[in-house]
Amino acid sequence: MKPPTPTLRIAPQIQGQHVVYEYGARIDSTSEVAIDTEIRRARALYNEIVEVLRALHDAMQAFVLERAPQTARDLVAQIARYDARFREAKAQNDRAAMQEIANRRNEARKALSPQMQEVRKAHKDELIERFYRQIGTSSRTATYACRVRAVQGGLGPYTANQVLEAALRAWKQSMKNGHPPRFIRYSEKTQDTLTIQFPEAGGVAAEDLFTGKRRDVIVAYPQNGFRRRSYTRFRFRLGPATAECYAQGTLQVDREPPHGARVTLVRLIRKRVGPRYRYTLQFLLNLADPIRLEVANRRKPLVALHFGWSFDEAGRQIAGISDNGNATDAHILSLPPSIEADLTRAATIRSQRDIELAAVAQRLKTEWKLPSLPEGDALRSQWEEFCGMPAHRISSHRLHALATCMRDRSVIPEWFDAWRKTDKLAWQSQMHKVRSARNRRTTFYRQVALDLARQYETIVLELPDLKKTTQKVNSTTGEKTELNRKARAGRVIASLHSLEAALHWAACKCGSAVLHLSGEPTVTLCSHCGSTTISPTPLNNQMLCCSDCGSTIDRKANGAANAWKLAQKQREKLVSEYWDTVGRKRCEMATLRAQKASGRAQARRASAAAKEKNRAARIAALDAKSEP
């Protein structure tokens, strides 16, 4: 079988004119309750929309199944039994049973799919009319009706719009996997966002927010100017304008928005950090001109990166980088060891917490007795749910919630309360190390990306299929994937998506083209002689040995050199297509913005004309009544 031919595709990023400015905020104590109330309304709206979507999904499934043949109904019941058995086998970590059940379930799904497709095709118009037209942002849909009720209940209209869009995105994404979206759990949610949007064409001038011309968002101009450790007061509207409810506090303004920038929306973000909350205010700016960084007068034409995440004591190897097609000249990009050390230490703390949690949960089940409580009591409900779950499936959130409920009733054992305090401190240490390491990794990747974008006109990226590497067990076949636990952990530490995003970000600012290489892995060819008789050495699978020319090459350096050679052959054509696509998309976006602005202006004129017509009709009616 002939291997697939490597292909290059362009990846245009239309960025540069939209940037986010984020300022740290300190909220007044009198505003925290109002913010929490608004966030609870937004969460309730999301779950209400999801409830509507799930009900429509169930009704649609029942509609299709009712019109399906009996064989399809039997297969659906059989698949449901397989799902239950698969969950039981997964809870017991029975690999053989999981594989057998998955194979049988896959066969049943293959037999069911064509039958259900025929039914949906035959009743397509009815499905659209009865179900799909109930989903969307139109005023006639059931999902928009939830948004209307939430706004009437006091939720801000722009926040309600964002929640509705988030729920619809979750619907589209989850339906690709064959199930409706899931409800959010408040205890597991660590970040919430409140939004104010400016519907004016292109937003409002940034100066208007600092001069008090807007009533929904006001930021006082800092007396000491925009610089580090400069603070000023701000006000952010909560709920509809008629409620006259505002969140107020102090803003740290370290940089001034660019001259001529327009603000399209403002977000008030609340993040949970330990037992407290941290607030930030984000401004989405539409710039008059894209941001461009200074680059070298004469940049090199092409550089290729071959991604990976192999471990090395000197630093985890992230990518091979080549700018001339010679693997000997290529160099390896490595993650600083201190970053991986902190991430590993955080993972160790998490592992120890999980061990202690399982032991505490088991001890609690055997030693603690529930006092006499009425039916429906919160503590009794949590305890019964807790006892019905195996110890290895109990989360720390659930156990801490149970501990809090016990403390409120003064029935918590001393050893359980001591574990709660110790686990809380361990969690804080774990999260501190994770955040610090991730921030340093992001800074490192951005600096590497900027250095490459400033030096090269075109960047070629060859990434592995990261989606496949996330799977521990193939849900279709039930078989274990090729990567072991240690390899999957290394993928998380490397975070290649962050490096890819940083390269796109830097390339956009420096005016570099980005190409993606996909198809046959480039490591199967020797970059020196082009032979396919290349294989890993016995002592180190990251070093490749060619049996034809006898050369020994690093795996990533070899891949980067081959990627450079493949891209060099098509570089001029692909770069030309890249910038043509970028120009075309920018024109399309400008046309779309103009159309939206024209539509809004037309709607305003129509509304004004309707108001004037109604006003004239009322005056005419009053005149008619006043005549003798």
Side-chain angles (χ1 to χ4, degrees):
M1 182 178 177
K2 186 179 179 180
T5 304
T7 57
L8 281 163
R9 60 181 179 86
I10 61 176
Q13 299 292 309
I14 313 302
Q15 300 174 355
Q17 287 191 254
H18 293 85
V19 295
V20 175
Y21 272 39
E22 182 173 286
Y23 303 108
R26 183 175 296 170
I27 301 297
D28 295 345
S29 57
T30 55
S31 301
E32 290 183 350
V33 175
I35 293 174
D36 187 71
T37 303
E38 186 79 350
I39 288 173
R40 289 179 181 273
R41 288 171 180 161
R43 291 175 173 181
L45 171 60
Y46 183 90
N47 279 347
E48 183 181 355
I49 296 172
V50 169
E51 184 178 2
V52 170
L53 294 173
R54 293 176 71 91
L56 287 171
H57 175 267
D58 294 342
M60 185 165 47
Q61 292 294 95
F63 174 87
V64 174
L65 195 59
E66 183 181 352
R67 287 153 180 79
Q70 185 61 40
T71 54
R73 301 178 195 176
D74 295 339
L75 286 170
V76 169
Q78 188 178 11
I79 291 171
R81 291 193 294 269
Y82 284 145
D83 288 339
R85 290 173 56 191
F86 188 87
R87 287 192 294 268
E88 293 175 1
K90 187 175 182 180
Q92 298 172 4
N93 200 22
D94 190 345
R95 301 291 181 189
M98 289 168 63
Q99 183 175 349
E100 180 185 357
I101 296 169
N103 289 334
R104 294 182 178 181
R105 183 177 59 182
N106 193 31
E107 293 175 0
R109 286 174 175 171
K110 287 181 180 179
L112 175 65
S113 180
Q115 299 183 45
M116 301 298 279
Q117 286 179 1
E118 288 295 328
V119 178
R120 293 190 183 96
K121 186 176 180 180
H123 300 83
K124 179 180 178 181
D125 295 338
E126 193 171 357
L127 284 170
I128 293 174
E129 184 66 29
R130 292 183 58 176
F131 302 107
Y132 286 106
R133 286 192 178 176
Q134 297 297 317
I135 302 170
T137 56
S138 171
S139 59
R140 296 182 295 273
T141 61
T143 52
Y144 190 83
C146 298
R147 180 256 181 208
V148 172
R149 289 192 294 271
V151 172
Q152 291 174 349
L155 180 63
Y158 300 117
T159 300
N161 291 342
Q162 298 293 321
V163 172
L164 175 57
E165 291 175 4
L168 294 179
R169 285 195 303 269
W171 162 263
K172 292 180 181 179
Q173 187 63 35
S174 61
M175 287 303 291
K176 292 179 182 178
N177 301 324
H179 59 79
R182 296 182 174 88
F183 297 102
I184 57 172
R185 296 183 179 181
Y186 299 162
S187 60
E188 298 179 0
K189 194 169 177 60
T190 59
Q191 179 172 316
D192 294 277
T193 303
L194 303 177
T195 306
I196 289 180
Q197 193 169 356
F198 303 108
E200 296 87 344
V204 300
E207 293 80 6
D208 292 350
L209 304 184
F210 293 93
T211 54
K213 293 183 179 180
R214 304 289 307 187
R215 292 180 56 83
D216 34 21
V217 179
I218 299 176
V219 181
Y221 196 88
Q223 296 180 355
N224 299 326
F226 291 87
R227 58 180 179 82
R228 292 189 63 186
R229 306 184 190 282
S230 179
Y231 300 90
T232 186
R233 297 287 298 176
F234 82 95
R235 190 171 73 170
F236 183 94
R237 194 186 74 201
L238 304 174
T242 55
E244 292 290 334
C245 180
Y246 295 91
Q248 303 184 65
T250 305
L251 206 63
Q252 182 180 2
V253 285
D254 56 338
R255 54 178 178 167
E256 184 177 7
H259 180 70
R262 301 186 68 85
V263 184
T264 56
L265 60 85
V266 181
R267 301 187 186 100
L268 177 62
I269 299 175
R270 187 183 76 174
K271 297 180 182 179
R272 188 176 66 195
V273 181
R276 296 180 179 146
Y277 293 111
R278 180 179 296 171
Y279 298 88
T280 55
L281 205 64
Q282 281 188 354
F283 295 83
L284 180 60
L285 304 179
N286 185 12
L287 306 182
D289 298 307
I291 294 178
R292 290 289 181 262
L293 301 179
E294 293 184 2
V295 297
N297 294 331
R298 297 186 63 182
R299 294 190 289 177
K300 296 181 180 179
L302 179 66
V303 66
L305 285 81
H306 177 89
F307 286 70
W309 63 83
S310 58
F311 175 76
D312 189 89
E313 293 182 357
R316 185 171 292 276
Q317 297 180 353
I318 303 301
I321 304 176
S322 174
D323 61 359
N324 59 13
N326 188 346
T328 307
D329 297 336
H331 66 277
I332 305 299
L333 175 66
S334 298
L335 192 68
S338 61
I339 295 176
E340 181 163 0
D342 281 354
L343 291 172
T344 304
R345 176 57 183 158
T348 303
I349 296 174
R350 173 60 186 270
S351 178
Q352 185 62 33
R353 287 181 60 222
D354 289 342
I355 294 173
E356 294 175 359
L357 184 145
V360 167
Q362 188 63 33
R363 182 180 178 184
L364 195 64
K365 286 184 178 182
T366 56
E367 296 185 8
W368 193 75
K369 302 297 181 182
L370 179 71
S372 299
L373 295 172
E375 191 72 27
D377 185 85
L379 177 56
R380 180 172 179 176
S381 300
Q382 288 191 34
W383 175 254
E384 291 175 352
E385 190 174 356
F386 166 77
C387 290
M389 299 180 66
H392 66 277
R393 297 190 64 185
I394 297 173
S395 67
S396 60
H397 291 288
R398 184 180 297 278
L399 207 54
H400 276 277
L402 181 61
T404 302
C405 201
M406 288 181 178
R407 288 184 65 210
D408 294 341
R409 307 296 180 85
S410 300
V411 294
I412 185 171
E414 291 185 4
W415 59 267
F416 189 35
D417 194 35
W419 167 86
R420 181 191 62 82
K421 295 176 182 177
T422 303
D423 187 70
K424 178 180 175 181
L425 293 175
W427 177 81
Q428 290 176 349
S429 175
Q430 171 196 336
M431 295 307 298
H432 171 74
K433 290 184 181 299
V434 167
R435 280 195 298 268
S436 174
R438 287 176 179 173
N439 289 339
R440 298 201 315 273
R441 182 179 62 193
T442 300
T443 303
F444 172 73
Y445 282 167
R446 287 199 170 191
Q447 188 58 54
V448 168
L450 283 173
D451 291 342
L452 290 173
R454 285 189 172 114
Q455 296 177 42
Y456 300 96
E457 296 177 352
T458 307
I459 303 174
V460 176
L461 309 179
E462 185 186 10
L463 285 89
D465 190 346
L466 296 176
K467 186 175 181 180
K468 290 183 179 179
T469 63
T470 62
Q471 298 178 353
K472 181 180 180 181
V473 178
N474 192 321
S475 59
T476 303
T477 63
E479 297 179 355
K480 292 183 68 174
T481 55
E482 297 178 358
L483 294 178
N484 57 26
R485 181 178 180 182
K486 188 174 182 180
R488 287 195 301 275
R491 171 190 55 80
V492 175
I493 292 172
S495 185
L496 299 183
H497 274 311
S498 299
L499 178 55
E500 180 190 9
L503 287 164
H504 282 290
W505 165 79
C508 189
K509 289 182 176 295
C510 298
S512 301
V514 180
L515 307 177
H516 279 243
L517 179 64
S518 59
E520 180 188 7
T522 53
V523 293
T524 58
L525 298 175
C526 176
S527 59
H528 290 162
C529 65
S531 173
T532 58
T533 57
I534 187 169
S535 59
T537 60
L539 298 179
N540 185 0
N541 62 359
Q542 293 301 312
M543 297 300 295
L544 304 176
C545 181
C546 178
S547 58
D548 284 357
C549 65
S551 58
T552 303
I553 326 167
D554 183 88
R555 187 185 190 91
K556 293 181 182 60
N558 181 67
N562 282 329
W564 187 92
K565 291 178 181 179
L566 289 167
Q568 179 64 16
K569 297 176 183 178
Q570 312 174 50
R571 185 181 67 85
E572 293 184 1
K573 175 187 173 184
L574 289 171
V575 170
S576 177
E577 291 180 3
Y578 178 91
W579 292 117
D580 288 344
T581 305
V582 169
R584 185 173 66 253
K585 286 195 173 185
R586 282 180 174 159
C587 290
E588 291 174 357
M589 291 173 64
T591 303
L592 183 60
R593 285 195 296 268
Q595 290 176 351
K596 287 184 177 180
S598 176
R600 286 192 292 265
Q602 186 176 356
R604 285 194 293 268
R605 287 193 296 268
S607 176
K611 289 180 180 178
E612 184 63 27
K613 184 178 180 180
N614 292 336
R615 177 174 172 276
R618 289 196 300 269
I619 293 175
L622 291 173
D623 291 343
K625 287 183 179 180
S626 62
E627 291 181 359

